[in-house]
Short mmCIF file of all heavy atoms in Angstrom, two decimals:
data_model
loop_
_atom_site.label_atom_id
_atom_site.label_comp_id
_atom_site.label_asym_id
_atom_site.label_seq_id
_atom_site.Cartn_x
_atom_site.Cartn_y
_atom_site.Cartn_z
N ASN A 1 -7.66 -24.02 69.33
CA ASN A 1 -7.11 -23.29 70.45
C ASN A 1 -8.09 -22.23 70.96
O ASN A 1 -8.82 -21.63 70.17
CB ASN A 1 -5.79 -22.60 70.05
CG ASN A 1 -4.70 -23.58 69.69
OD1 ASN A 1 -4.33 -23.71 68.53
ND2 ASN A 1 -4.17 -24.28 70.67
N ASN A 2 -8.08 -22.03 72.26
CA ASN A 2 -8.92 -20.98 72.83
C ASN A 2 -8.39 -19.61 72.42
O ASN A 2 -7.18 -19.37 72.43
CB ASN A 2 -8.95 -21.09 74.36
CG ASN A 2 -9.73 -22.28 74.84
OD1 ASN A 2 -10.72 -22.65 74.23
ND2 ASN A 2 -9.30 -22.88 75.93
N LEU A 3 -9.28 -18.73 72.05
CA LEU A 3 -8.91 -17.38 71.67
C LEU A 3 -9.54 -16.40 72.65
O LEU A 3 -10.65 -16.63 73.15
CB LEU A 3 -9.40 -17.07 70.25
CG LEU A 3 -8.81 -17.94 69.12
CD1 LEU A 3 -9.47 -17.59 67.79
CD2 LEU A 3 -7.30 -17.78 69.03
N SER A 4 -8.82 -15.31 72.91
CA SER A 4 -9.31 -14.32 73.86
C SER A 4 -9.36 -12.94 73.23
O SER A 4 -8.60 -12.63 72.32
CB SER A 4 -8.41 -14.27 75.10
OG SER A 4 -8.43 -15.50 75.80
N ILE A 5 -10.28 -12.13 73.74
CA ILE A 5 -10.38 -10.76 73.29
C ILE A 5 -10.19 -9.82 74.47
O ILE A 5 -10.56 -10.14 75.60
CB ILE A 5 -11.73 -10.47 72.61
CG1 ILE A 5 -12.91 -10.83 73.52
CG2 ILE A 5 -11.83 -11.21 71.28
CD1 ILE A 5 -14.29 -10.47 72.95
N ILE A 6 -9.55 -8.68 74.19
CA ILE A 6 -9.43 -7.61 75.17
C ILE A 6 -10.50 -6.58 74.86
O ILE A 6 -10.59 -6.08 73.74
CB ILE A 6 -8.03 -6.96 75.12
CG1 ILE A 6 -6.97 -7.93 75.66
CG2 ILE A 6 -8.02 -5.65 75.92
CD1 ILE A 6 -5.55 -7.39 75.57
N CYS A 7 -11.30 -6.26 75.87
CA CYS A 7 -12.38 -5.28 75.72
C CYS A 7 -12.10 -4.08 76.62
O CYS A 7 -11.47 -4.21 77.66
CB CYS A 7 -13.73 -5.90 76.08
SG CYS A 7 -14.22 -7.27 75.00
N ALA A 8 -12.61 -2.94 76.21
CA ALA A 8 -12.41 -1.72 76.99
C ALA A 8 -13.22 -1.73 78.27
O ALA A 8 -12.83 -1.11 79.27
CB ALA A 8 -12.76 -0.50 76.15
N ASP A 9 -14.37 -2.42 78.25
CA ASP A 9 -15.26 -2.44 79.41
C ASP A 9 -16.28 -3.57 79.24
O ASP A 9 -16.27 -4.28 78.23
CB ASP A 9 -15.96 -1.10 79.59
CG ASP A 9 -16.61 -0.59 78.31
OD1 ASP A 9 -17.13 -1.40 77.53
OD2 ASP A 9 -16.59 0.63 78.08
N ILE A 10 -17.15 -3.71 80.23
CA ILE A 10 -18.14 -4.79 80.19
C ILE A 10 -19.13 -4.57 79.05
O ILE A 10 -19.59 -5.53 78.41
CB ILE A 10 -18.88 -4.91 81.53
CG1 ILE A 10 -17.89 -5.21 82.67
CG2 ILE A 10 -19.91 -6.05 81.48
CD1 ILE A 10 -18.54 -5.29 84.04
N SER A 11 -19.48 -3.33 78.78
CA SER A 11 -20.43 -3.05 77.71
C SER A 11 -19.91 -3.56 76.37
O SER A 11 -20.66 -4.16 75.59
CB SER A 11 -20.71 -1.55 77.62
OG SER A 11 -21.38 -1.10 78.77
N MET A 12 -18.63 -3.35 76.10
CA MET A 12 -18.05 -3.86 74.86
C MET A 12 -18.05 -5.38 74.87
O MET A 12 -18.38 -6.02 73.86
CB MET A 12 -16.62 -3.34 74.67
CG MET A 12 -15.95 -3.80 73.39
SD MET A 12 -14.25 -3.18 73.18
CE MET A 12 -14.55 -1.45 72.83
N ALA A 13 -17.70 -5.98 76.01
CA ALA A 13 -17.67 -7.44 76.10
C ALA A 13 -19.04 -8.04 75.83
O ALA A 13 -19.17 -9.09 75.18
CB ALA A 13 -17.17 -7.87 77.48
N ALA A 14 -20.09 -7.36 76.31
CA ALA A 14 -21.45 -7.88 76.16
C ALA A 14 -21.92 -7.90 74.71
O ALA A 14 -22.89 -8.59 74.39
CB ALA A 14 -22.41 -7.05 77.00
N GLU A 15 -21.24 -7.18 73.84
CA GLU A 15 -21.59 -7.20 72.42
C GLU A 15 -21.10 -8.49 71.75
O GLU A 15 -21.59 -8.85 70.68
CB GLU A 15 -20.99 -6.00 71.70
CG GLU A 15 -21.53 -4.66 72.16
CD GLU A 15 -20.92 -3.51 71.38
OE1 GLU A 15 -20.59 -3.71 70.19
OE2 GLU A 15 -20.73 -2.43 71.97
N TYR A 16 -20.14 -9.16 72.38
CA TYR A 16 -19.51 -10.32 71.75
C TYR A 16 -19.62 -11.60 72.57
O TYR A 16 -19.19 -12.66 72.12
CB TYR A 16 -18.04 -10.00 71.45
CG TYR A 16 -17.90 -8.83 70.52
CD1 TYR A 16 -17.79 -7.53 71.02
CD2 TYR A 16 -17.92 -9.00 69.15
CE1 TYR A 16 -17.70 -6.44 70.18
CE2 TYR A 16 -17.83 -7.91 68.29
CZ TYR A 16 -17.72 -6.64 68.81
OH TYR A 16 -17.64 -5.56 67.96
N ALA A 17 -20.15 -11.51 73.78
CA ALA A 17 -20.29 -12.68 74.65
C ALA A 17 -21.59 -12.57 75.43
O ALA A 17 -22.09 -11.46 75.68
CB ALA A 17 -19.10 -12.78 75.61
N HIS A 18 -22.13 -13.72 75.81
CA HIS A 18 -23.34 -13.74 76.63
C HIS A 18 -22.96 -13.54 78.09
O HIS A 18 -22.24 -14.35 78.66
CB HIS A 18 -24.07 -15.07 76.46
CG HIS A 18 -24.67 -15.26 75.10
ND1 HIS A 18 -25.79 -14.58 74.67
CD2 HIS A 18 -24.29 -16.04 74.06
CE1 HIS A 18 -26.09 -14.94 73.44
NE2 HIS A 18 -25.19 -15.83 73.04
N ILE A 19 -23.45 -12.46 78.69
CA ILE A 19 -23.15 -12.15 80.08
C ILE A 19 -24.46 -12.02 80.85
O ILE A 19 -25.18 -11.03 80.69
CB ILE A 19 -22.33 -10.85 80.19
CG1 ILE A 19 -21.03 -10.96 79.37
CG2 ILE A 19 -22.00 -10.56 81.66
CD1 ILE A 19 -20.19 -9.69 79.38
N ASP A 20 -24.77 -13.03 81.65
CA ASP A 20 -26.00 -12.95 82.44
C ASP A 20 -25.74 -12.16 83.72
O ASP A 20 -24.63 -11.65 83.95
CB ASP A 20 -26.55 -14.35 82.73
CG ASP A 20 -25.60 -15.23 83.53
OD1 ASP A 20 -24.74 -14.68 84.26
OD2 ASP A 20 -25.72 -16.46 83.47
N ASP A 21 -26.76 -12.03 84.54
CA ASP A 21 -26.65 -11.18 85.73
C ASP A 21 -25.55 -11.62 86.67
O ASP A 21 -24.80 -10.80 87.22
CB ASP A 21 -27.99 -11.13 86.47
CG ASP A 21 -29.07 -10.38 85.70
OD1 ASP A 21 -28.71 -9.66 84.75
OD2 ASP A 21 -30.26 -10.52 86.04
N ARG A 22 -25.45 -12.94 86.91
CA ARG A 22 -24.44 -13.47 87.83
C ARG A 22 -23.04 -13.24 87.27
O ARG A 22 -22.14 -12.78 87.98
CB ARG A 22 -24.69 -14.95 88.07
CG ARG A 22 -23.60 -15.68 88.86
CD ARG A 22 -23.43 -15.13 90.26
NE ARG A 22 -22.48 -15.94 91.01
CZ ARG A 22 -21.75 -15.48 92.02
NH1 ARG A 22 -21.88 -14.22 92.41
NH2 ARG A 22 -20.91 -16.27 92.67
N ALA A 23 -22.86 -13.52 85.99
CA ALA A 23 -21.56 -13.30 85.37
C ALA A 23 -21.20 -11.82 85.39
O ALA A 23 -20.05 -11.44 85.65
CB ALA A 23 -21.56 -13.83 83.93
N TYR A 24 -22.19 -10.97 85.12
CA TYR A 24 -21.96 -9.53 85.13
C TYR A 24 -21.46 -9.07 86.51
O TYR A 24 -20.50 -8.28 86.61
CB TYR A 24 -23.24 -8.78 84.78
CG TYR A 24 -23.10 -7.28 84.79
CD1 TYR A 24 -22.72 -6.58 83.65
CD2 TYR A 24 -23.32 -6.56 85.96
CE1 TYR A 24 -22.57 -5.20 83.68
CE2 TYR A 24 -23.17 -5.18 86.00
CZ TYR A 24 -22.80 -4.51 84.85
OH TYR A 24 -22.65 -3.14 84.89
N ALA A 25 -22.08 -9.57 87.56
CA ALA A 25 -21.69 -9.17 88.91
C ALA A 25 -20.24 -9.57 89.21
O ALA A 25 -19.47 -8.80 89.81
CB ALA A 25 -22.63 -9.80 89.93
N ILE A 26 -19.86 -10.79 88.80
CA ILE A 26 -18.49 -11.26 89.04
C ILE A 26 -17.50 -10.42 88.24
O ILE A 26 -16.48 -9.96 88.77
CB ILE A 26 -18.36 -12.75 88.68
CG1 ILE A 26 -19.19 -13.60 89.65
CG2 ILE A 26 -16.89 -13.19 88.71
CD1 ILE A 26 -19.29 -15.06 89.27
N ILE A 27 -17.79 -10.22 86.96
CA ILE A 27 -16.87 -9.46 86.11
C ILE A 27 -16.74 -8.03 86.62
O ILE A 27 -15.64 -7.46 86.66
CB ILE A 27 -17.35 -9.48 84.64
CG1 ILE A 27 -17.28 -10.91 84.10
CG2 ILE A 27 -16.49 -8.56 83.77
CD1 ILE A 27 -17.96 -11.08 82.75
N LYS A 28 -17.85 -7.44 87.03
CA LYS A 28 -17.82 -6.07 87.55
C LYS A 28 -16.95 -5.96 88.79
O LYS A 28 -16.20 -4.98 88.96
CB LYS A 28 -19.24 -5.60 87.86
CG LYS A 28 -19.35 -4.14 88.29
CD LYS A 28 -20.80 -3.74 88.48
CE LYS A 28 -20.93 -2.26 88.80
NZ LYS A 28 -20.29 -1.90 90.09
N ASP A 29 -17.02 -6.96 89.66
CA ASP A 29 -16.25 -6.94 90.90
C ASP A 29 -14.75 -7.12 90.67
O ASP A 29 -13.95 -6.65 91.49
CB ASP A 29 -16.74 -8.03 91.86
CG ASP A 29 -18.06 -7.67 92.54
OD1 ASP A 29 -18.44 -6.48 92.50
OD2 ASP A 29 -18.69 -8.58 93.10
N TYR A 30 -14.38 -7.80 89.59
CA TYR A 30 -12.98 -8.19 89.43
C TYR A 30 -12.30 -7.58 88.20
O TYR A 30 -11.21 -8.01 87.83
CB TYR A 30 -12.86 -9.72 89.40
CG TYR A 30 -13.13 -10.34 90.74
CD1 TYR A 30 -14.38 -10.86 91.05
CD2 TYR A 30 -12.13 -10.39 91.71
CE1 TYR A 30 -14.63 -11.44 92.30
CE2 TYR A 30 -12.37 -10.95 92.96
CZ TYR A 30 -13.62 -11.47 93.24
OH TYR A 30 -13.85 -12.02 94.48
N THR A 31 -12.93 -6.60 87.60
CA THR A 31 -12.28 -5.91 86.48
C THR A 31 -12.32 -4.41 86.72
O THR A 31 -13.22 -3.91 87.40
CB THR A 31 -12.96 -6.23 85.13
OG1 THR A 31 -14.34 -5.83 85.17
CG2 THR A 31 -12.86 -7.69 84.80
N PRO A 32 -11.30 -3.70 86.21
CA PRO A 32 -10.17 -4.25 85.47
C PRO A 32 -9.30 -5.13 86.38
O PRO A 32 -9.12 -4.80 87.54
CB PRO A 32 -9.40 -3.01 85.01
CG PRO A 32 -10.38 -1.88 85.08
CD PRO A 32 -11.27 -2.22 86.25
N GLY A 33 -8.78 -6.19 85.82
CA GLY A 33 -7.98 -7.10 86.62
C GLY A 33 -7.36 -8.20 85.77
O GLY A 33 -7.65 -8.34 84.59
N ALA A 34 -6.48 -8.98 86.41
CA ALA A 34 -5.69 -10.00 85.73
C ALA A 34 -6.47 -11.31 85.60
O ALA A 34 -6.09 -12.36 86.13
CB ALA A 34 -4.38 -10.23 86.46
N PHE A 35 -7.59 -11.23 84.90
CA PHE A 35 -8.46 -12.39 84.73
C PHE A 35 -8.84 -12.55 83.26
O PHE A 35 -9.02 -11.58 82.54
CB PHE A 35 -9.75 -12.24 85.55
CG PHE A 35 -9.51 -12.08 87.01
CD1 PHE A 35 -9.43 -10.82 87.58
CD2 PHE A 35 -9.35 -13.20 87.82
CE1 PHE A 35 -9.21 -10.67 88.93
CE2 PHE A 35 -9.12 -13.05 89.18
CZ PHE A 35 -9.04 -11.78 89.74
N THR A 36 -8.99 -13.80 82.85
CA THR A 36 -9.62 -14.14 81.58
C THR A 36 -10.90 -14.89 81.92
O THR A 36 -10.85 -15.94 82.57
CB THR A 36 -8.72 -15.03 80.71
OG1 THR A 36 -7.51 -14.33 80.41
CG2 THR A 36 -9.42 -15.39 79.40
N PHE A 37 -12.03 -14.34 81.53
CA PHE A 37 -13.32 -14.96 81.82
C PHE A 37 -13.81 -15.71 80.59
O PHE A 37 -13.94 -15.12 79.51
CB PHE A 37 -14.34 -13.90 82.22
CG PHE A 37 -14.01 -13.21 83.51
CD1 PHE A 37 -13.47 -11.94 83.52
CD2 PHE A 37 -14.23 -13.86 84.72
CE1 PHE A 37 -13.17 -11.30 84.72
CE2 PHE A 37 -13.92 -13.23 85.94
CZ PHE A 37 -13.38 -11.95 85.93
N LEU A 38 -14.05 -17.00 80.76
CA LEU A 38 -14.60 -17.81 79.68
C LEU A 38 -16.11 -17.65 79.69
O LEU A 38 -16.76 -17.93 80.70
CB LEU A 38 -14.22 -19.28 79.85
CG LEU A 38 -12.73 -19.61 79.85
CD1 LEU A 38 -12.52 -21.11 80.01
CD2 LEU A 38 -12.05 -19.10 78.58
N LEU A 39 -16.64 -17.20 78.56
CA LEU A 39 -18.07 -16.93 78.45
C LEU A 39 -18.62 -17.59 77.19
O LEU A 39 -17.88 -17.92 76.26
CB LEU A 39 -18.31 -15.42 78.38
CG LEU A 39 -17.90 -14.62 79.62
CD1 LEU A 39 -17.70 -13.16 79.28
CD2 LEU A 39 -18.96 -14.77 80.71
N ARG A 40 -19.93 -17.76 77.17
CA ARG A 40 -20.55 -18.30 75.96
C ARG A 40 -20.45 -17.27 74.84
O ARG A 40 -20.70 -16.08 75.04
CB ARG A 40 -22.01 -18.66 76.23
CG ARG A 40 -22.17 -19.90 77.12
CD ARG A 40 -23.63 -20.30 77.29
NE ARG A 40 -24.37 -19.32 78.07
CZ ARG A 40 -25.45 -18.68 77.63
NH1 ARG A 40 -25.93 -18.91 76.42
NH2 ARG A 40 -26.07 -17.80 78.40
N ALA A 41 -20.07 -17.74 73.67
CA ALA A 41 -19.82 -16.84 72.54
C ALA A 41 -21.10 -16.17 72.06
O ALA A 41 -22.17 -16.79 72.03
CB ALA A 41 -19.17 -17.61 71.40
N GLY A 42 -20.99 -14.92 71.68
CA GLY A 42 -22.12 -14.19 71.11
C GLY A 42 -22.10 -14.25 69.60
O GLY A 42 -21.12 -14.66 68.98
N ARG A 43 -23.17 -13.79 69.00
CA ARG A 43 -23.31 -13.87 67.55
C ARG A 43 -22.41 -12.89 66.80
O ARG A 43 -22.13 -13.08 65.61
CB ARG A 43 -24.77 -13.62 67.15
CG ARG A 43 -25.72 -14.72 67.62
CD ARG A 43 -27.14 -14.43 67.16
NE ARG A 43 -28.06 -15.48 67.57
CZ ARG A 43 -29.36 -15.47 67.30
NH1 ARG A 43 -29.88 -14.45 66.62
NH2 ARG A 43 -30.13 -16.46 67.71
#
């Protein structure tokens, strides 16, 4: 099953998921908001 995490901000999310420049721009524009963004898992 897909699992999701709630992060306080993009900086916290970037510690656990790969966020490239394009993804960062989209997430920045639409958060905080009612979205779940599927991202490549981080280490």
Side-chain angles (χ1 to χ4, degrees):
N1 296 109
N2 289 325
L3 298 175
S4 296
I5 55 176
I6 290 177
C7 298
D9 49 36
I10 300 178
S11 294
M12 181 181 288
E15 295 182 32
Y16 300 91
H18 292 287
I19 303 177
D20 61 24
D21 291 345
R22 172 61 174 154
Y24 179 90
I26 293 172
I27 295 170
K28 185 176 184 296
D29 284 345
Y30 289 98
T31 59
F35 300 95
T36 299
F37 294 103
L38 300 181
L39 296 159
R40 289 184 292 122
R43 293 182 179 179

